[in-house]
Amino acid sequence: MPQCSFHPGVETEMRCAECDRPICPKDMVLTPVGYKCPVCAKPKRSQYTYVKPKQLVGAIGAGALAGVAGGFLLGMIHLGFFLISIVWGMAVGEAVRRGSGGHRGPVLAVVAAVCIVIGSLVGQLGLLAAVLGSLGAVSTLSWTWSR
Ligand SMILES: [Zn+2]
Ligand SMILES: [Zn+2]
């Protein structure tokens, strides 16, 4: 008999309707398509990709601050332009993530990108810095999208 994936040593005939791993009655979660394991029963898109308005406000505030302050600073130093633009973008992405309470996703990536574009205008960094910065921010905010 197969053993429960969540409780080693517990034998079971039940399987998750989605991933087919063995589950014991303790783990079964009833869904419209049958019993599932606790992992598959969770909503597919992480709750962290759904952003509440209040969290969005926090994200925009943090992103705007990091974007404008960073853009201003970058405009003043002119050092290691390409690399710093990406690092700046990642920092803005991280600020947006923290400002929103740890969220990621397309909405926040757009917020970060807009903040970077504004920041690059403030610092007169040019299009290339805006693009590189946006890439950095999007990479920071996007790695869990596909889960
Ligand atoms: Zn499953
Ligand atoms: Zn179990």
Side-chain angles (χ1 to χ4, degrees):
M1 265 232 297
Q3 292 191 356
C4 172
S5 311
F6 299 91
H7 302 92
V10 179
E11 294 188 330
T12 179
E13 299 265 29
M14 304 287 304
R15 281 179 184 278
C16 168
E18 186 163 330
C19 68
D20 206 40
R21 73 176 118 198
I23 49 175
C24 73
K26 273 191 209 159
D27 311 306
M28 296 189 316
V29 181
L30 184 58
T31 72
V33 294
Y35 287 104
K36 289 188 181 182
C37 70
V39 175
C40 296
K42 280 192 189 140
K44 268 284 168 275
R45 287 173 68 83
S46 154
Q47 58 179 348
Y48 283 109
T49 58
Y50 176 75
V51 186
K52 297 191 187 94
K54 201 173 143 196
Q55 294 165 331
L56 192 60
V57 169
I60 291 170
L65 192 68
V68 172
F72 187 71
L73 273 176
L74 284 184
M76 283 175 46
I77 55 177
H78 286 298
L79 272 177
F81 191 70
F82 295 94
L83 192 62
I84 286 193
S85 298
I86 295 174
V87 172
W88 169 51
M90 289 166 77
V92 174
E94 181 65 17
V96 166
R97 193 178 72 78
R98 291 192 184 188
S100 72
H103 289 248
R104 294 173 199 273
V107 176
L108 294 178
V110 170
V111 169
V114 169
C115 293
I116 282 160
V117 170
I118 294 169
S120 64
L121 287 174
V122 168
Q124 298 186 321
L125 304 177
L127 184 64
L128 192 59
V131 170
L132 289 173
S134 300
L135 281 178
V138 168
S139 70
T140 301
L141 291 165
S142 69
W143 64 273
T144 53
W145 288 7
S146 54
R147 270 197 205 165

mmCIF file of all heavy atoms in Angstrom, residues 4-7 10 23-24 26-27, ligand 2:
data_model
loop_
_atom_site.group_PDB
_atom_site.id
_atom_site.type_symbol
_atom_site.label_atom_id
_atom_site.label_comp_id
_atom_site.label_asym_id
_atom_site.label_seq_id
_atom_site.Cartn_x
_atom_site.Cartn_y
_atom_site.Cartn_z
ATOM 1 N N CYS A 4 1.062 7.800 2.886
ATOM 2 C CA CYS A 4 0.649 9.197 2.783
ATOM 3 C C CYS A 4 1.874 10.088 2.559
ATOM 4 O O CYS A 4 2.905 9.924 3.200
ATOM 5 C CB CYS A 4 -0.069 9.610 4.063
ATOM 6 S SG CYS A 4 -0.408 11.371 4.137
ATOM 7 N N SER A 5 1.758 11.030 1.654
ATOM 8 C CA SER A 5 2.877 11.929 1.352
ATOM 9 C C SER A 5 3.157 12.886 2.494
ATOM 10 O O SER A 5 4.224 13.455 2.572
ATOM 11 C CB SER A 5 2.567 12.772 0.116
ATOM 12 O OG SER A 5 2.118 11.957 -0.918
ATOM 13 N N PHE A 6 2.158 13.080 3.324
ATOM 14 C CA PHE A 6 2.307 14.083 4.386
ATOM 15 C C PHE A 6 2.569 13.447 5.742
ATOM 16 O O PHE A 6 3.071 14.090 6.637
ATOM 17 C CB PHE A 6 1.052 14.966 4.455
ATOM 18 C CG PHE A 6 0.812 15.704 3.171
ATOM 19 C CD1 PHE A 6 0.017 15.145 2.178
ATOM 20 C CD2 PHE A 6 1.416 16.926 2.942
ATOM 21 C CE1 PHE A 6 -0.198 15.809 0.990
ATOM 22 C CE2 PHE A 6 1.202 17.592 1.749
ATOM 23 C CZ PHE A 6 0.408 17.030 0.769
ATOM 24 N N HIS A 7 2.187 12.182 5.860
ATOM 25 C CA HIS A 7 2.385 11.486 7.119
ATOM 26 C C HIS A 7 3.111 10.181 6.846
ATOM 27 O O HIS A 7 2.448 9.162 6.588
ATOM 28 C CB HIS A 7 1.046 11.227 7.805
ATOM 29 C CG HIS A 7 0.259 12.463 8.070
ATOM 30 N ND1 HIS A 7 -0.670 12.966 7.184
ATOM 31 C CD2 HIS A 7 0.300 13.328 9.107
ATOM 32 C CE1 HIS A 7 -1.186 14.074 7.690
ATOM 33 N NE2 HIS A 7 -0.606 14.321 8.844
ATOM 34 N N VAL A 10 1.919 6.239 7.366
ATOM 35 C CA VAL A 10 0.469 6.047 7.312
ATOM 36 C C VAL A 10 0.101 5.507 5.928
ATOM 37 O O VAL A 10 0.304 6.167 4.920
ATOM 38 C CB VAL A 10 -0.287 7.369 7.574
ATOM 39 C CG1 VAL A 10 -1.796 7.147 7.492
ATOM 40 C CG2 VAL A 10 0.097 7.947 8.928
ATOM 41 N N ILE A 23 -2.648 10.399 -0.233
ATOM 42 C CA ILE A 23 -3.000 11.224 0.926
ATOM 43 C C ILE A 23 -3.877 10.404 1.863
ATOM 44 O O ILE A 23 -4.636 9.550 1.413
ATOM 45 C CB ILE A 23 -3.750 12.515 0.525
ATOM 46 C CG1 ILE A 23 -4.908 12.219 -0.434
ATOM 47 C CG2 ILE A 23 -2.795 13.522 -0.084
ATOM 48 C CD1 ILE A 23 -5.759 13.424 -0.779
ATOM 49 N N CYS A 24 -3.777 10.665 3.154
ATOM 50 C CA CYS A 24 -4.625 9.972 4.118
ATOM 51 C C CYS A 24 -5.827 10.855 4.444
ATOM 52 O O CYS A 24 -5.849 12.029 4.070
ATOM 53 C CB CYS A 24 -3.816 9.596 5.368
ATOM 54 S SG CYS A 24 -3.422 10.996 6.425
ATOM 55 N N LYS A 26 -6.753 12.512 6.835
ATOM 56 C CA LYS A 26 -6.464 13.775 7.519
ATOM 57 C C LYS A 26 -6.153 14.906 6.543
ATOM 58 O O LYS A 26 -6.336 16.075 6.859
ATOM 59 C CB LYS A 26 -5.245 13.595 8.417
ATOM 60 C CG LYS A 26 -5.539 13.092 9.797
ATOM 61 C CD LYS A 26 -4.281 13.221 10.636
ATOM 62 C CE LYS A 26 -4.258 12.152 11.725
ATOM 63 N NZ LYS A 26 -2.915 11.925 12.220
ATOM 64 N N ASP A 27 -5.624 14.539 5.366
ATOM 65 C CA ASP A 27 -5.142 15.552 4.429
ATOM 66 C C ASP A 27 -6.186 15.923 3.386
ATOM 67 O O ASP A 27 -6.009 16.885 2.663
ATOM 68 C CB ASP A 27 -3.909 15.038 3.692
ATOM 69 C CG ASP A 27 -2.895 14.471 4.658
ATOM 70 O OD1 ASP A 27 -2.534 15.188 5.590
ATOM 71 O OD2 ASP A 27 -2.493 13.312 4.472
HETATM 72 ZN ZN ZN B 2 -1.636 12.176 5.766
#
